[in-house]
Amino acid sequence: MRFLTLFAALCFATMQASAQAETPRISGSVTDGQGKGLASATVSLLNSKDSSLTKLAVSNESGAFELVSIKPGNYLVSVSLIGYQKYVSAKFSYTGNEYRLPAIGLQASAGKINEVTVSARKPFIENKIDKTIINVEASPTNAGASAMEILEKSPGVSVSNEGNISLRGKAGVIVMLDGKPTYMSATDLANLLRNMPAAELDVVEIMTNPSSRFDASGNSGIINIKTKKGRNNGFNGNFTLGATASLFKPEDALYVIPKSQNSFNFNYKHNKLNFFGSYLPNFFRGRQNLSLQRNFYDNMGNPNGSSELLTRFRFGNFNQTLRLGLDYQANKKNVFGVVISGFSFEGRPTPYTSSTIKDNNGNILSQLISNTKNISSFRNFTGNLNWKHSFDSTGRELTADLDYVTYNNTSDLTLTTDAFNGSGNQIGSTILLKGHLPSLINIWSLKSDYVQPFKNGRLEAGVKSSIVTNDNEVQYTRQLPDKSWIPDNRSNHFIYKENINAAYINLNKQIGKWSLQGGLRIENTIAEGKQVSNDSTFKRNFTNLFPTAFVSYAFDKKNQLTLSYGRRITRPNYQDLNPFTFFLDSLTYRVGNPYLLPQFTHNVELSYAYQSRFIVTLNVNSTNNVISQILRQNSVDKITYNTSENVARFSNVGISITAPVRFNAWWSANFFTNIFNNHYKGIYNTEPLDVSYTSFAVNISNSFVLNKKTGWNGEISGFYRHKNVDQLTVFDPVTFLTLGVQKQVLQGKGSLRFNIRDPFAWQQFKGQVRYSDVDVRPHAKPDARSVTLTFSYRFGKNTPGSQPRRRNNGAQEEQGRVGQGN
């Protein structure tokens, strides 16, 4: 209630203050031929003597615009909007008082009176000086793909087999959906992105060095996935139907695995109201094989046997996502909005695992066969109240967001294990372990941002507060030989509470050819973790400063050099803090670590841009107390488990090149390469740890206009990642290829897309983990090879209209910490 009261008071106070401080201005409205207001029209105030530009404004949702801080004089007004003829007014005199222009009516472009069709295609990749933008729909090969697969082919982004995401060779990426953090574990986030269809996505923004306006979390940057929003007046939308068949061939047989990804999006805009929503039902089946070859050593470092583990994963789920939102323009200065969304996931993963223990001569000593039946249920609800107050048309505005996010995840598993000796005879009776693992996360977040433009610059400032409660429990029971069940001592109950309070200020200024920007963010973290089972508690309270700085010099209109610096923090994921045991089999499991500390990173980047398209970037960063997944093992009992620890200092040095190339009118390409060195140095079990590797990655995307008249387009894209080190694992090279074609149908309102992903089954994950007494060689083979056919159709009015404002809630950093970036 305190959040809600503060939110309402902030809105009311600002509306009252602005009502008392009206400024003389030139105002007017832009309408179409029927007198309806047109949004997003560019209004230019021109000096009548030489037509030089004096001031710019953009019409709002009702077509209204304002020009403020204008000196008395003689002017012209020019208005332009895609799909309409340009308008230029007669000369008029402005004396410095309130001045109202007559309504400006725009005429539709000749030949397109009833409907305007914009035929120009956006490029798949757009390079900006501060970020890279991926236009998802521009690529035919994205048909039937998932959000995770879109990230895999994005320049500079790499995704491991477990779903961990790295950017330019660095882990610790914060992934946001429409500006919202996800608050999921690494596993849950990977499942969400793998089940989110590309048809739901609009663009993906990749920022390697964000300003102080963004949360300081994420040592390698931010990836913001923006979903589709309605853009036009009236009722409009689109739907997509898709079917995929994955071809999975392990050693024994060929499996054809069905999948289906579908989406429905709509938007209704009328006068002051804008109602939008989407529904995504998806059916998913999958397979994957994972093998782990382990070597064991005694205390003297001599070989002490080995083990071979093979896990065959079979999984299937049905998930649904529903999102509804409403914007209400109370008046020309105030817009209120509400967005609610929910995600439902029902899955039944059933891994089968065999673990074989051998002596130094390769003779089998024992074998374990484990079968796991798992019933998983995942629920999410997100609610957002947002408000935007525009003081004038110069861009001075105040925004506020109140968010509530909850995740409810339950897993019920039964682990069955049979033990055999070297001769294949069963040892003892079957071991049965049952687990009930409920998890509940509740998040409240309130933030407010203020923007004040001034001559050749802008001031930004804001505050944010968030409260997170994470309640996790594991209830294990095991079966005795007499078939009775008793509690297992690995049961646990962990409650984590956290409050983060932040404030920032950011200032940018243009001085001739120089562009300067500086910012400072302060964040206070108060955290408490409690293990209920043994009544142990830890508390933390720390405050940190996070400065950012950007300096850019434009040699001329084509050449620009930019130097940037930022300090960032990566707090432990909530899942990593849980001191629970999660089983793969009886000898392989994962354990959380409640004593993890945050890691801090210094990022420095130097970028050169030619025509804002060809970009070369040199980056250097250093991270202390890096959080890394590590393996620990008992070589005597041949037991291995995974956990997270602050084990090392991490440094990354790299150079990247981005180059869009147009060979001719029908063939264009985007090229990205990154050469980098990752170096981990620290202590493991009192022994020095030093893992380093220099590597490179290449992304290439080719787009073809096969037949412009009939609407045929094609694409060939792929990536190659050389041998590299990430999270102390040295990964072997990975190659990926995808082919696709697209055909426009139904007068451009529909499209058919067909693509083939990984036709040669190149996408496999191999590597080695080698430090101290740990020597493991993993090999994962997913069902990446697939064929997909989709049909998409756009319906409703297609006349030019407004694009609703982006709705980015305030819970940006907290959602990202439920687990991505491990």
Side-chain angles (χ1 to χ4, degrees):
M1 286 301 297
R2 288 181 296 174
F3 274 134
L4 189 60
T5 303
L6 181 58
F7 179 80
L10 183 63
C11 299
F12 180 76
T14 305
M15 293 175 65
Q16 290 293 101
S18 64
Q20 299 172 7
E22 297 295 334
T23 303
R25 68 199 71 223
I26 299 173
S27 61
S29 62
V30 182
T31 63
D32 62 10
Q34 288 74 42
K36 293 182 178 180
L38 292 175
S40 302
T42 301
V43 182
S44 304
L45 184 66
L46 309 175
N47 190 304
S48 63
K49 290 183 180 181
D50 54 8
S51 296
S52 60
L53 179 65
T54 302
K55 183 74 71 172
L56 276 175
V58 177
S59 61
N60 63 18
E61 285 84 351
S62 63
F65 66 87
E66 294 177 343
L67 300 157
V68 299
S69 303
I70 307 301
K71 296 179 180 179
N74 297 321
Y75 297 99
L76 304 171
V77 166
S78 170
V79 182
S80 60
L81 179 64
I82 294 177
Y84 291 92
Q85 299 178 18
K86 185 177 182 179
Y87 167 87
V88 180
S89 74
K91 182 177 72 173
F92 64 93
S93 297
Y94 176 64
T95 61
N97 299 316
E98 189 78 19
Y99 188 89
R100 178 76 181 181
L101 291 166
I104 299 172
L106 298 185
Q107 299 298 318
S109 300
K112 297 292 181 183
I113 299 295
N114 296 321
E115 182 176 347
V116 176
T117 301
V118 180
S119 58
R121 291 199 309 140
K122 288 184 178 180
F124 175 51
I125 300 173
E126 291 185 84
N127 299 307
K128 305 294 183 182
I129 195 65
D130 59 341
K131 60 186 172 184
T132 300
I133 300 174
I134 311 299
N135 294 300
V136 177
E137 275 201 333
S139 169
T141 62
N142 290 339
S146 66
M148 182 68 85
E149 291 165 339
I150 300 300
L151 293 183
E152 284 181 326
K153 62 188 291 188
S154 299
V157 179
S158 60
V159 181
S160 72
N161 181 63
E162 294 79 18
N164 296 320
I165 300 170
S166 299
L167 182 57
R168 293 184 179 175
K170 298 175 290 181
V173 183
I174 294 298
V175 176
M176 299 189 297
L177 300 177
D178 289 322
K180 307 172 185 178
T182 57
Y183 292 105
M184 300 181 195
S185 69
T187 302
D188 290 337
L189 177 67
N191 287 334
L192 175 66
L193 295 178
R194 285 173 178 142
N195 288 280
M196 177 181 290
E200 169 72 357
L201 309 187
D202 182 15
V203 300
V204 176
E205 296 179 334
I206 302 172
M207 296 169 277
T208 57
N209 212 358
S211 73
S212 60
R213 178 168 185 168
F214 292 90
D215 290 318
S217 185
N219 72 291
S220 62
I222 292 174
I223 296 176
N224 186 24
I225 300 173
K226 293 185 177 181
T227 56
K228 290 179 178 176
K229 307 291 192 302
R231 300 172 183 268
N232 303 317
N233 292 313
F235 182 74
N236 53 82
N238 64 80
F239 67 84
T240 298
L241 303 175
T244 298
S246 293
L247 307 177
F248 183 61
K249 189 180 186 308
E251 295 75 13
D252 52 349
L254 175 65
Y255 298 93
V256 179
I257 306 167
K259 304 172 186 179
S260 179
Q261 295 177 320
N262 310 282
S263 66
F264 172 76
N265 299 271
F266 74 90
N267 191 87
Y268 176 73
K269 186 177 184 301
H270 180 68
N271 295 331
K272 295 183 177 183
L273 289 176
N274 184 48
F275 179 52
F276 57 93
S278 64
Y279 173 63
L280 291 81
N282 297 295
F283 167 83
F284 189 85
R285 292 289 184 270
R287 287 176 180 262
Q288 175 176 280
N289 283 0
L290 171 67
S291 64
L292 297 174
Q293 172 70 47
R294 300 189 185 99
N295 294 317
F296 300 102
Y297 302 90
D298 59 24
N299 294 333
M300 302 300 295
N302 300 312
N304 189 31
S306 64
S307 74
E308 295 178 357
L309 180 143
L310 174 63
T311 300
R312 293 185 174 95
F313 291 95
R314 295 181 60 185
F315 41 89
N317 61 66
F318 176 71
N319 60 81
Q320 305 175 81
T321 301
L322 177 66
R323 184 191 52 169
L324 297 172
L326 180 69
D327 281 341
Y328 173 68
Q329 186 172 0
N331 51 50
K332 62 184 179 181
K333 292 186 176 182
N334 295 282
V335 181
F336 295 88
V338 57
V339 182
I340 59 172
S341 64
F343 177 78
S344 172
F345 173 94
E346 303 290 342
R348 293 177 179 267
T350 56
Y352 164 88
T353 302
S354 65
S355 181
T356 304
I357 307 297
K358 300 181 179 181
D359 62 19
N360 290 336
N361 297 318
N363 301 313
I364 296 177
L365 299 178
S366 63
Q367 186 179 43
L368 293 179
I369 304 295
S370 296
N371 286 279
T372 304
K373 294 182 179 179
N374 199 339
I375 301 176
S376 299
S377 175
F378 183 68
R379 301 283 189 274
N380 158 250
F381 172 81
T382 300
N384 168 260
L385 297 176
N386 57 82
W387 166 66
K388 176 183 175 182
H389 176 81
S390 301
F391 293 90
D392 49 48
S393 61
T394 64
R396 187 163 71 101
E397 65 181 37
L398 179 66
T399 61
D401 285 89
L402 174 65
D403 297 277
Y404 172 69
V405 184
T406 182
Y407 290 92
N408 193 334
N409 189 358
T410 302
S411 179
D412 290 290
L413 65 87
T414 300
L415 175 62
T416 304
T417 303
D418 292 295
F420 302 87
N421 60 24
S423 301
N425 300 316
Q426 185 167 353
I427 304 172
S429 58
T430 299
I431 301 172
L432 280 153
L433 181 73
K434 287 186 177 181
H436 176 64
L437 292 79
S439 174
L440 179 63
I441 301 175
N442 287 309
I443 303 155
W444 287 93
S445 175
L446 175 65
K447 77 163 187 172
S448 181
D449 299 286
Y450 174 74
V451 178
Q452 171 69 70
F454 56 88
K455 186 177 181 181
N456 298 324
R458 185 169 68 170
L459 172 69
E460 299 174 326
V463 294
K464 176 187 173 182
S465 180
S466 66
I467 297 175
V468 180
T469 302
N470 186 3
D471 191 333
N472 293 268
E473 190 171 3
V474 288
Q475 302 170 9
Y476 286 123
T477 57
R478 55 188 175 89
Q479 190 180 63
L480 297 177
D482 62 2
K483 305 302 181 182
S484 62
W485 292 86
I486 63 172
D488 187 87
N489 59 10
R490 287 164 291 192
S491 299
N492 208 335
H493 187 188
F494 180 69
I495 300 175
Y496 179 77
K497 297 179 180 179
E498 181 183 82
N499 173 219
I500 299 178
N501 301 288
Y504 77 90
I505 185 169
N506 195 64
L507 178 68
N508 64 68
K509 176 71 173 178
Q510 183 78 31
I511 305 176
K513 293 185 177 182
W514 292 90
S515 296
L516 308 176
Q517 177 175 303
L520 182 64
R521 186 178 186 93
I522 183 172
E523 294 188 353
N524 168 252
T525 303
I526 304 171
E528 178 181 347
K530 180 178 182 180
Q531 293 192 58
V532 178
S533 304
N534 57 12
D535 196 26
S536 63
T537 302
F538 71 85
K539 295 182 179 181
R540 297 191 182 117
N541 188 334
F542 55 90
T543 302
N544 301 104
L545 296 175
F546 302 96
T548 58
F550 299 80
V551 179
S552 181
Y553 180 76
F555 297 94
D556 49 42
K557 292 183 178 180
K558 295 183 178 181
N559 298 277
Q560 188 172 7
L561 191 67
T562 302
L563 177 66
S564 63
Y565 164 79
R567 183 175 187 252
R568 303 190 65 77
I569 183 175
T570 299
R571 298 178 178 89
N573 299 323
Y574 303 130
Q575 193 74 10
D576 287 341
L577 291 169
N578 295 338
F580 296 168
T581 302
F582 302 93
F583 288 96
L584 176 62
D585 62 55
S586 297
L587 298 181
T588 309
Y589 50 90
R590 182 180 183 279
V591 179
N593 180 3
Y595 303 105
L596 283 173
L597 298 174
Q599 64 182 38
F600 295 89
T601 302
H602 297 274
N603 286 326
V604 179
E605 290 189 2
L606 178 65
S607 297
Y608 165 75
Y610 176 71
Q611 293 183 333
S612 295
R613 299 172 65 235
F614 301 93
I615 300 175
V616 179
T617 301
L618 174 66
N619 68 276
V620 179
N621 75 68
S622 176
T623 303
N624 292 321
N625 287 327
V626 65
I627 302 171
S628 180
Q629 292 187 16
I630 66 168
L631 293 176
R632 291 194 174 275
Q633 68 183 22
N634 183 326
S635 296
V636 176
D637 297 330
K638 307 298 189 291
I639 295 175
T640 302
Y641 67 93
N642 175 286
T643 188
S644 294
E645 294 185 9
N646 301 100
V647 296
R649 178 183 179 90
F650 170 73
S651 63
N652 169 272
V653 179
I655 182 170
S656 64
I657 301 173
T658 305
V661 181
R662 177 172 291 277
F663 298 102
N664 49 47
W666 57 272
W667 180 15
S668 61
N670 280 280
F671 173 83
F672 173 87
T673 185
N674 182 35
I675 304 171
F676 61 94
N677 173 270
N678 285 348
H679 189 187
Y680 293 85
K681 190 172 184 179
I683 300 294
Y684 173 86
N685 281 352
T686 71
E687 297 182 17
L689 185 152
D690 196 333
V691 183
S692 177
Y693 211 90
T694 298
S695 181
F696 70 93
V698 178
N699 290 65
I700 301 177
S701 176
N702 295 274
S703 298
F704 307 96
V705 180
L706 303 178
N707 192 315
K708 189 173 183 180
K709 292 183 179 180
T710 57
W712 281 98
N713 297 296
E715 181 187 320
I716 301 175
S717 63
F719 63 79
Y720 172 79
R721 291 199 298 268
H722 193 55
K723 191 173 183 179
N724 67 93
V725 59
D726 184 19
Q727 294 284 296
L728 302 179
T729 300
V730 178
F731 289 98
D732 288 353
V734 177
T735 305
F736 181 77
L737 177 69
T738 180
L739 314 169
V741 292
Q742 173 181 293
K743 173 70 168 69
Q744 298 293 325
V745 297
L746 302 177
Q747 298 180 336
K749 290 187 175 181
S751 65
L752 285 170
R753 301 183 181 188
F754 177 78
N755 73 56
I756 303 174
R757 297 178 56 82
D758 196 21
F760 306 108
W762 288 338
Q763 191 176 22
Q764 300 185 34
F765 300 89
K766 301 179 182 180
Q768 181 179 14
V769 184
R770 186 70 178 97
Y771 45 80
S772 186
D773 62 339
V774 176
D775 185 359
V776 180
R777 289 171 173 81
H779 179 195
K781 185 177 182 180
D783 59 348
R785 180 168 50 180
S786 63
V787 294
T788 298
L789 177 65
T790 66
F791 170 71
S792 300
Y793 182 77
R794 294 180 290 109
F795 58 86
K797 298 180 64 176
N798 291 310
T799 53
S802 65
Q803 178 178 359
R805 60 200 177 99
R806 294 288 178 186
R807 304 166 187 84
N808 297 342
N809 81 355
Q812 294 183 343
E813 188 261 339
E814 295 79 19
Q815 265 181 298
R817 283 176 54 218
V818 185
Q820 89 283 359
N822 286 347

